[in-house]
């Protein structure tokens, strides 16, 4: 019965997604849902996009093993990313009427910066989307009692998500996110209430976790441990800001005010609700210490589904797996769409500036299929945990894309030369240390990359300009608004490429 419910749920999701696809008439509808989404839908899509495999399995498994200090990246860093993006970037970026972050990098700097940052952003999604596909394989393996292997589950899950995302784009993602947010919250709260009954309430679980040192957030007074701690925090908090899925939700809102409210509400709900799967997973160690302590040592990602399958009634299992599949599918669809739109708009379209709207829509859909194949291949061949796959995804954007975005938005003297120095310096130093020293480095490699990127932007912008000189006294955002308005007047809202 559980298996048939999962099959039915997958079919209903495809149906809803394909129905939403009937509202997609052009590339703007596909990429940013026509910029018509109200606050509740923006909030839901922000929450559902981020509340995926890592929030349910990765974060809870890491918390059980390492405590709060181990989950500093997610949810602490990731939720702060959404709040920072909402407060500081949403209004600036929304009014430009663009559909990708790559468009911003081109308008603020030049085509070279656009291509380099877009490639960094697209590469960063490989690990994130692969983590969702890996979790879908894990869930389908569980509900079929091993009849469907994890590898076959990954292929089936990827095919389902690919179907409605390819046809419906952002409209399908937004509608399903709104529906699935209710399933996620209701389902996990119901499971938490059942688990709390088994442990005698919430308080005994919190007291046990506190006595075991799991609620200690900050590391000991060791400078190297603090650097590792801050590196993990900043990787998610800052490295996630120059991400297309965050930008897409801001841009899909019907007004700047809705963009800000949706980001703040979605980020806040995400932070609070991430503690629910942490509570459920840790409660398992009180319910059956022998079984779950063995599982923690072998594969802590299996603690949550094993608890539900072995210690809850069938109805609770249906609710749990429905909530989990909702969360993973929402996240998978959004993170599959975002890099594909970026690649199509900022890499492919640059070589074909005369491409029409329908041709561009076809290119975006082809790109989604190609990216899905790459993600599936990576997921099938990676042995990294779900949490590590997600955490590592943002290192490249922290080192190479964050500083040009931040400096371009808030420092008038930032130049193209400075942006190029920031990109090459940041990514180059990060990769060098990652490859030569790796985990033996006392300072996290991505943190060194961030510092070098900041230095590159500062020095490169103040030195005599050899590349794409921009007057330091001009107001870059006023120029961007003028350029965006001019391009929108003379072309499609999506077609911003200069001759």
């Amino acid at each position: 019965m559980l298996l048939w419910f999962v099959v039915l749920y997958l079919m209903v999701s495809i149906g809803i997604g394909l129905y939403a696809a009937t509202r997609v008439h052009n590339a703007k509808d596909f990429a940013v849902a026509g910029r018509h989404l109200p606050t509740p839908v923006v909030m839901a899509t922000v929450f559902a996009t981020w509340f995926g495999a890592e929030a349910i399995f990765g974060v809870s498994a890491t918390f059980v093993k390492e405590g709060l200090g181990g989950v500093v990246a997610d949810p602490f860093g990731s939720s702060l990313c959404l709040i920072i993006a909402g407060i500081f970037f949403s209004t600036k970026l929304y009014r430009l009427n663009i559909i990708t972050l790559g468009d911003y990098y081109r308008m603020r700097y030049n085509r070279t910066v656009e291509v380099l940052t877009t490639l960094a952003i697209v590469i960063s999604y490989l690990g994130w989307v692969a983590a969702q596909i890996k979790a879908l394989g894990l869930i389908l393996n569980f509900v079929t009692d091993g009849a469907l292997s994890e590898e076959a589950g990954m292929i089936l899950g990827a095919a389902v998500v690919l179907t409605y995302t390819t046809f419906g784009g952002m409209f399908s993602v937004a509608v399903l996110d709104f529906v699935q947010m209710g399933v996620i919250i209701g389902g996990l709260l119901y499971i938490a209430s059942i688990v709390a009954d088994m442990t005698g309430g919430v308080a005994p679980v919190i007291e046990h976790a506190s006595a075991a040192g799991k609620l200690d957030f900050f590391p000991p007074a060791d400078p190297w441990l603090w650097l590792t701690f801050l590196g993990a925090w900043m990787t998610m908090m800052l490295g996630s800001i120059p991400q297309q899925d965050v930008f897409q939700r801001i841009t899909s809102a019907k007004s700047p005010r809705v963009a800000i409210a949706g980001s703040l509400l979605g980020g806040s709900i995400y932070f609070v609700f991430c503690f629910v799967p942490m509570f459920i997973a840790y409660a398992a160690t009180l319910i059956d210490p022998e079984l779950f302590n063995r599982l923690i040592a072998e594969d802590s990602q299996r603690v949550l589904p094993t608890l539900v399958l072995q210690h809850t009634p069938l109805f609770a299992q249906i609710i749990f797996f429905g909530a989990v599949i909702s969360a993973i599918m929402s996240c998978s669809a959004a993170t599959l769409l975002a890099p594909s739109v970026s690649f199509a708009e900022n890499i492919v379209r640059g070589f074909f500036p005369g491409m029409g709207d329908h041709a561009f829509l076809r290119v975006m859909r082809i790109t989604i299929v190609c990216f899905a194949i790459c993600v599936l291949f990576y997921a099938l061949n990676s042995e990294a945990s779900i949490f590590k796959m997600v955490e590592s995804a943002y290192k490249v954007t922290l080192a190479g894309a964050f500083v040009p975005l931040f400096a371009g938005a808030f420092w008038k003297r930032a130049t193209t030369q400075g942006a190029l120095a920031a990109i090459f310096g940041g990514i180059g130093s990060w990769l060098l240390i990652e490859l030569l020293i790796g985990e033996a480095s006392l300072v996290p490699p991505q943190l060194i990359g961030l510092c070098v990127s900041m230095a590159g932007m500062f020095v490169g912008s103040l030195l005599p300009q050899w590349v794409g000189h921009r007057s330091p006294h001009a107001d870059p955002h006023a120029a961007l608004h003028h350029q965006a308005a001019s391009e929108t007047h003379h072309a499609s809202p999506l077609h911003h490429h200069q001759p």
Side-chain angles (χ1 to χ4, degrees):
M1 185 174 176
L2 177 60
L3 175 60
W4 282 111
F5 168 77
V6 170
V7 171
L8 177 63
Y9 189 84
L10 293 175
M11 296 304 295
V12 170
S13 296
I14 292 175
I16 293 173
L18 293 180
Y19 173 75
T22 60
R23 297 190 60 183
V24 176
H25 305 296
N26 53 48
K28 185 176 181 181
D29 289 341
F30 187 85
V32 290
R35 291 167 65 97
H36 294 314
L37 300 184
T39 301
V41 178
V42 174
M43 174 194 68
T45 195
V46 166
F47 168 82
T49 298
W50 283 62
F51 197 85
E54 76 289 350
I56 296 176
F57 296 122
V59 172
S60 60
T62 304
F63 171 75
V64 169
K65 292 179 71 173
E66 304 176 27
L68 277 183
V71 296
V72 59
D74 192 7
F76 290 91
S78 52
S79 54
L80 276 173
C81 158
L82 295 172
I83 292 169
I84 291 170
I87 293 174
F88 294 106
F89 290 97
S90 57
T91 302
K92 285 180 175 291
L93 297 176
Y94 184 91
R95 296 186 188 281
L96 295 177
N97 193 29
I98 52 179
I99 65 164
T100 67
L101 274 175
D103 291 342
Y104 174 83
Y105 287 114
R106 180 187 66 253
M107 294 167 72
R108 180 63 175 86
Y109 301 111
N110 67 5
R111 168 73 176 155
T112 304
V113 175
E114 172 194 17
V115 171
L116 292 173
T117 51
T118 298
L119 288 174
I121 290 168
V122 170
I123 290 169
S124 74
Y125 275 96
L126 194 61
W128 193 7
V129 189
Q132 314 309 317
I133 300 302
K134 196 168 188 176
L136 274 175
L138 177 68
I139 287 300
L140 293 175
N141 173 256
F142 259 92
V143 298
T144 59
D145 198 22
L148 193 68
S149 68
E150 287 192 35
E151 291 75 16
M154 290 184 205
I155 295 170
L156 177 60
V160 171
V161 173
L162 180 63
T163 299
Y164 69 78
T165 307
T166 303
F167 284 98
M170 189 62 196
F171 258 127
S172 289
V173 170
V175 171
L176 276 169
D177 283 352
F178 187 70
V179 173
Q180 290 168 337
M181 180 181 177
V183 177
I184 294 166
I185 291 178
L188 288 181
L189 285 177
Y190 175 67
I191 296 298
S193 68
I194 292 177
V195 170
D197 288 340
M198 296 181 193
T199 59
V202 175
V205 179
I206 296 175
E207 289 167 6
H208 191 280
S210 179
K214 300 297 183 182
L215 301 186
D216 297 337
F217 181 63
F218 295 106
D222 181 322
W224 303 116
L225 291 176
W226 268 92
L227 280 173
T228 302
F229 177 82
L230 291 174
W233 196 342
M234 293 179 70
T235 298
M236 287 289 278
M237 181 173 65
L238 302 182
S240 303
I241 290 176
Q243 288 289 344
Q244 177 61 20
D245 62 293
V246 178
F247 175 81
Q248 222 162 3
R249 271 122 201 87
I250 291 171
T251 312
S252 299
K254 65 180 182 179
S255 70
R257 181 176 294 180
V258 169
I260 295 172
S263 296
L264 295 181
L265 289 170
S268 301
I269 295 172
Y270 173 80
F271 176 76
V272 172
F273 206 72
C274 271
F275 288 93
V276 176
M278 284 190 232
F279 166 78
I280 298 170
Y282 193 80
T285 62
L286 278 69
I287 295 169
D288 192 340
E290 183 180 349
L291 170 64
F292 291 108
N293 284 327
R294 188 178 75 249
L295 265 183
I296 289 168
E298 294 172 357
D299 185 358
S300 55
Q301 294 173 157
R302 291 179 171 266
V303 169
L304 215 55
T306 302
L307 169 68
V308 173
L309 280 175
Q310 295 192 10
H311 293 274
T312 63
L314 179 62
F315 180 72
Q317 294 173 26
I318 291 173
I319 295 297
F320 172 78
F321 286 106
V324 169
I325 291 172
S326 291
I328 297 172
M329 287 177 62
S330 294
C331 197
S332 301
T335 51
L336 193 60
L337 177 66
S340 303
V341 170
S342 289
F343 188 85
E345 164 74 359
N346 301 115
I347 305 295
V348 178
R349 191 166 199 170
F351 294 104
F352 303 98
M355 187 187 303
D357 188 77
H358 289 290
F360 181 52
L361 182 58
R362 193 180 311 117
V363 167
M364 282 196 285
R365 284 173 167 154
I366 293 171
T367 306
I368 288 175
V369 175
C370 294
F371 189 70
I373 293 171
C374 294
V375 164
L376 183 60
F377 179 79
Y378 178 63
L380 289 169
N381 292 279
S382 175
E383 296 182 0
S385 71
I386 292 169
F387 188 81
K388 287 298 179 186
M389 290 173 84
V390 171
E391 187 180 24
S392 300
Y394 302 108
K395 293 179 179 179
V396 61
T397 44
L398 178 71
F402 173 73
V403 171
L405 174 65
F406 183 85
F410 298 104
W411 190 37
K412 292 181 180 181
R413 296 176 67 91
T415 65
T416 300
Q417 180 172 283
L420 291 172
I423 295 167
F424 284 111
I427 293 180
S429 58
W430 163 62
L431 284 176
L432 188 66
I433 295 167
E434 194 81 63
L435 294 173
L436 295 181
I437 305 176
E439 294 184 1
S441 175
L442 294 175
V443 180
Q446 71 273 20
L447 208 56
I448 295 175
L450 174 64
C451 293
V452 173
S453 182
M454 292 168 66
M457 173 59 77
F458 183 75
V459 174
S461 295
L462 296 183
L463 284 176
Q465 300 298 299
W466 295 91
V467 180
H469 176 70
R470 182 185 295 279
S471 170
H473 303 294
D475 182 348
H477 275 270
L480 285 177
H481 283 297
H482 176 75
Q483 182 182 346
S486 175
E487 289 173 344
T488 303
H489 177 71
H490 292 292
S492 158
L494 295 177
H495 195 175
H496 294 311
H497 286 276
Q498 299 170 352

